[in-house]
Every structure is written in structure tokens, then in C-alpha cells.
């Protein structure tokens, strides 16, 4: 039987004290009986990257990553790990007044749309920064921006109100994503609920689809592929008489395919991968992509194909697709490291 209290193990404690990451991962898995894939959601790393670390070919130096591992593995306080009492959740949870603010139009004022446009541009900058440095440092700033947006909503009407609601939904989604990366899934779902409500009220069907797709991703990371597949399928459905942008539908189809692969439906996963790739290639112009899908260019579309090939164990195809894209990720060190590890793993399996 696996040890239910792994941190009582002296070898694991010693490995943590000397920050021997290879030994930490190996020993933690030994005493808990976890596989490398089962370790993925705890440390926020893909299995190939975990494998590279366990072989001693990679060291962990990022304070953010160490903090994530500390919390994910529930390192005890006496080892410099997770405090016995969690920090006040008020820093993370949506404040009650956000749920209480009236979103419908009033005619008592005229919100400053130019300020909203500027905030939208700032959020776009933060999205790109989060790709490289993580979102924790930007958390308080984005929450403050969200307050500025939602205070304007009650005074807005018509298209202006819809614009502000959509912008609020984008902020809430970003906060959900960062909270999930920090291992705070309850918080992440609370923010995601707000994002979904605001997107629906604004008639922002692309954003609503994206938020539903994120919910599917969360479910998939918690090992419920059939439910994730159903949720992602719903993300591809627009209301009668409406349609989703190709970019929004592409990412929903990809997520549906990844869930199908996890459920063992390899042929369906490949079909969905082809659909997602074709849809993604229909939006080469960044101006045609929703703001939160700014990254879905042809390179990322090809990487998604590689991820699908990897998921269905088409190792040769995965290696070829990863290898063809790595040089385009030099400006994204976290992504480059992640996909390099997958490329090496796929090549070794091919």
C-alpha cells in the first residue's frame, strides 16, 4: 500500500532539504505509488518534462515553479512548505460585490469607452506577459482593472454595456486561469462562473465558447475525459442564427479531441484534430482572432496537431510536428522547454 503521509519518509525529507529535484520526484512517486502522468496535475508539468527532471537533465530554479510544486505536493510547514493555515482567501476569491452589481443598462451616465479600450489593451499585454513569467505577480493589478470595468457597467447601455460585460468576462477568465495554475481550483471555478455569466449576458458567443472550453480543460486535467468531451462539444454550439468564429471553434474542437484521446477514442481524436487545424488556418490574421486567442497562429495550430498525435501515441508524427515548430518558440522560454521535452520523448518512443 502506498504511504498516505509521504513527508514522514526520511529520504524524501532529505531530498527536499537539499533541493534534489530528481530525487524528490522519484521518492515522492515511490512512497505514494503515483506514475509520472499522475504526478502531472500536482506539479503543473507534463510527463515528459517530469521524466527529464527525474533523469537529472534539468534543474528547477524558478521561484514560481518551486512554489507550485511546494503546494501541489503539500510540503509541510517545517520543511519550508505549505503553511498549516492557508492565506486569507480574500486575495483570491471574487469579492461578493462583483456578484451583486447590476449589469443591465441604466441611463444615468456615460461610461468612458476610451478607458475601457485602454484597459483591454493592457489586459492583452498581461496575457502575453503571463506566457513568459506567470500570472501571480499580475494578479492584484488585473483584479483592480476588473473593478474599474464593473463599476462602469451600471451606467452603460446597448453596445457599450455589451463591450464592458465582455471585457469583464475576459478579466474573470484570466483570473480563473491563473488561479488554476496556482492549484486553487475552487477559486478558479468561481471566477469562471462569473466569466460565463458576463459573456452570456453580453451575447459574446466566442467568449462564452472559450469559457466553456476552459471548463472542459479543467475537467480533463482531473481525469474525467467523457465529461470533458461533452463539455467541449457544447463549446462548439452557437445559439440559433449565430455562429462562432473559426478560432473559437478550432480551440473547442481541439479540446474535444484531447478528451476523446484520453477516453481511448483515437480515430475520433484524429478527426477532431484535423477539424481544429483546418479551422485554425482560416484565421491567419491576428485581427480576426478573439483577444484571448491571440496566440492561435499557424505555428500554435501545428503544435496542437503535435499534441494530439502525442495523445494518441502516433509518436513519429508527434516528433516531426514538434521538431518543425520549436525554432518558432524561442521567445517563449516556458513553452519552448515544455515542447522540447515532448519532442525528445516522442523521438525516443518513435
Amino acid at each position: 500500500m502506498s504511504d498516505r503521509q509521504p513527508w514522514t519518509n526520511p529520504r524524501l525529507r532529505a531530498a527536499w532539504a537539499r533541493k534534489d529535484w530528481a530525487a524528490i520526484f522519484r521518492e515522492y512517486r515511490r512512497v505514494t505509488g503515483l506514475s509520472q502522468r499522475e504526478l502531472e496535475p500536482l506539479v503543473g508539468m507534463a510527463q515528459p518534462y517530469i521524466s527529464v527532471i527525474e533523469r537529472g537533465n534539468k534543474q528547477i530554479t524558478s521561484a514560481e515553479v518551486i512554489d507550485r510544486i511546494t503546494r501541489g505536493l503539500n510540503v509541510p510547514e517545517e520543511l519550508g512548505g505549505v503553511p498549516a493555515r492557508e492565506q486569507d482567501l480574500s486575495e483570491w476569491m471574487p469579492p461578493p460585490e462583483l456578484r451583486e452589481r447590476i449589469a443591465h443598462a441604466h441611463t444615468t451616465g456615460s461610461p468612458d469607452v476610451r478607458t475601457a479600450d485602454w484597459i483591454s489593451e493592457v489586459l492583452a499585454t498581461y496575457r502575453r506577459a503571463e506566457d513568459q513569467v506567470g500570472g501571480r505577480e499580475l494578479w492584484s493589478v488585473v483584479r483592480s482593472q476588473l473593478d474599474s470595468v464593473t463599476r462602469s457597467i451600471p451606467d452603460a447601455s446597448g453596445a457599450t454595456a455589451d463591450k464592458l460585460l465582455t471585457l469583464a468576462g475576459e478579466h474573470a477568465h484570466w483570473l480563473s486561469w491563473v488561479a488554476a495554475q496556482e492549484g486553487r481550483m475552487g477559486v478558479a471555478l468561481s471566477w469562471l462562473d462569473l466569466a460565463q455569466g458576463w459573456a452570456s449576458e453580453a451575447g459574446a458567443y466566442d467568449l462564452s465558447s472559450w469559457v466553456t472550453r476552459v471548463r472542459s480543460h479543467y475537467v480533463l486535467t482531473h481525469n474525467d475525459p467523457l465529461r470533458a468531451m461533452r463539455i467541449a462539444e457544447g463549446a462548439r454550439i452557437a445559439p440559433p442564427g449565430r455562429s462562432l468564429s473559426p478560432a473559437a471553434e478550432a480551440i473547442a474542437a481541439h479540446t474535444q479531441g484531447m478528451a476523446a484521446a484520453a477516453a481511448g477514442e483515437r480515430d475520433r481524436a484524429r478527426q477532431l484534430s484535423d477539424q481544429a487545424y483546418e479551422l485554425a488556418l482560416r484565421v491567419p490574421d491576428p485581427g480576426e482572432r478573439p483577444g484571448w486567442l491571440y496566440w492561435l497562429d499557424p505555428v500554435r495550430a501545428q503544435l496542437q496537431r503535435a499534441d494530439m498525435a502525442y495523445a494518441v501515441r502516433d509518436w513519429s508524427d508527434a516528433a516531426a510536428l514538434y521538431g518543425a515548430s520549436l525554432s518558432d518558440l524561442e521567445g517563449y522560454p516556458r513553452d519552448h522547454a515544455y515542447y522540447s521535452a515532448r519532442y525528445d520523448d516522442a523521438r525516443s518512443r518513435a
Side-chain angles (χ1 to χ4, degrees):
M1 178 182 291
S2 63
D3 189 346
R4 294 181 181 276
Q5 295 181 314
W7 293 103
T8 62
N9 180 277
R11 285 192 292 182
L12 180 57
R13 293 171 73 91
W16 182 266
R18 64 180 184 270
K19 291 295 182 285
D20 182 347
W21 298 106
I24 290 167
F25 283 8
R26 287 197 305 266
E27 194 63 18
Y28 187 91
R29 292 197 307 104
R30 187 186 70 79
V31 298
T32 59
L34 295 178
S35 67
Q36 289 183 344
R37 288 207 178 277
E38 289 170 329
L39 192 65
E40 282 184 344
L42 299 182
V43 298
M45 296 178 183
Q47 180 271 326
Y49 201 62
I50 292 172
S51 178
V52 169
I53 292 170
E54 287 196 3
R55 294 198 302 269
N57 295 335
K58 201 78 169 177
Q59 293 299 315
I60 299 172
T61 58
S62 165
E64 178 194 347
V65 174
I66 292 172
D67 182 67
R68 186 170 71 231
I69 294 171
T70 301
R71 293 182 178 279
L73 300 186
N74 200 29
V75 180
E77 188 174 12
E78 70 269 16
L79 293 179
V82 179
R85 291 173 59 91
E86 271 289 347
Q87 291 180 339
D88 184 358
L89 282 179
S90 64
E91 176 191 356
W92 292 90
M93 289 294 287
E97 59 269 21
L98 280 184
R99 299 183 181 275
E100 297 166 3
R101 285 178 186 156
I102 299 172
H104 291 295
H106 287 201
T107 56
T108 56
S110 177
D112 188 346
V113 178
R114 287 178 298 177
T115 299
D117 288 338
W118 178 78
I119 290 175
S120 180
E121 290 298 321
V122 172
L123 180 61
T125 301
Y126 288 165
R127 289 192 191 102
R128 289 162 173 77
E130 194 270 334
D131 282 344
Q132 300 185 39
V133 301
R136 191 185 183 101
E137 296 299 320
L138 302 170
W139 179 270
S140 61
V141 182
V142 174
R143 278 195 59 169
S144 177
Q145 287 181 185
L146 176 58
D147 282 339
S148 298
V149 173
T150 55
R151 287 192 196 101
S152 299
I153 291 173
D155 295 328
S157 62
T160 300
D162 289 345
K163 181 183 182 70
L164 291 168
L165 283 163
T166 302
L167 185 55
E170 290 184 40
H171 278 71
H173 151 259
W174 188 93
L175 292 167
S176 171
W177 185 257
V178 173
Q181 300 306 303
E182 294 291 328
R184 298 172 179 267
M185 286 309 303
V187 173
L189 290 170
S190 293
W191 284 111
L192 205 64
D193 287 343
L194 280 175
Q196 186 67 269
W198 283 327
S200 297
E201 190 161 351
Y205 304 118
D206 282 347
L207 179 58
S208 184
S209 169
W210 169 254
V211 171
T212 303
R213 173 265 167 191
V214 172
R215 190 180 300 276
S216 172
H217 174 76
Y218 290 167
V219 170
L220 183 58
T221 59
H222 284 76
N223 300 316
D224 192 345
L226 293 178
R227 187 157 65 96
M229 192 158 39
R230 289 197 302 270
I231 295 171
E233 186 175 12
R236 302 183 65 184
I237 301 173
R242 305 284 185 171
S243 60
L244 299 175
S245 72
E249 189 176 355
I251 193 65
H254 173 74
T255 304
Q256 186 183 3
M258 293 297 287
E265 299 186 20
R266 299 178 68 193
D267 289 340
R268 187 178 184 188
R270 293 186 183 102
Q271 291 170 0
L272 288 163
S273 179
D274 291 341
Q275 292 176 25
Y277 185 65
E278 290 171 5
L279 286 163
L281 293 185
R282 287 168 54 188
V283 283
D285 183 356
E288 296 177 12
R289 304 174 204 144
W292 53 93
L293 285 174
Y294 68 90
W295 47 269
L296 189 57
D297 59 17
V299 172
R300 298 290 175 160
Q302 181 158 277
L303 285 169
Q304 288 193 333
R305 289 181 71 201
D307 282 339
M308 194 70 74
Y310 189 97
V312 298
R313 302 183 180 183
D314 291 339
W315 306 118
S316 295
D317 288 348
L321 291 166
Y322 284 135
S325 305
L326 283 175
S327 62
D328 294 301
L329 295 177
E330 295 296 339
Y332 300 90
R334 292 198 305 170
D335 288 349
H336 191 275
Y338 173 83
Y339 285 115
S340 291
R342 285 210 150 192
Y343 171 59
D344 291 341
D345 187 65
R347 278 202 311 172
S348 69
R349 295 172 183 267

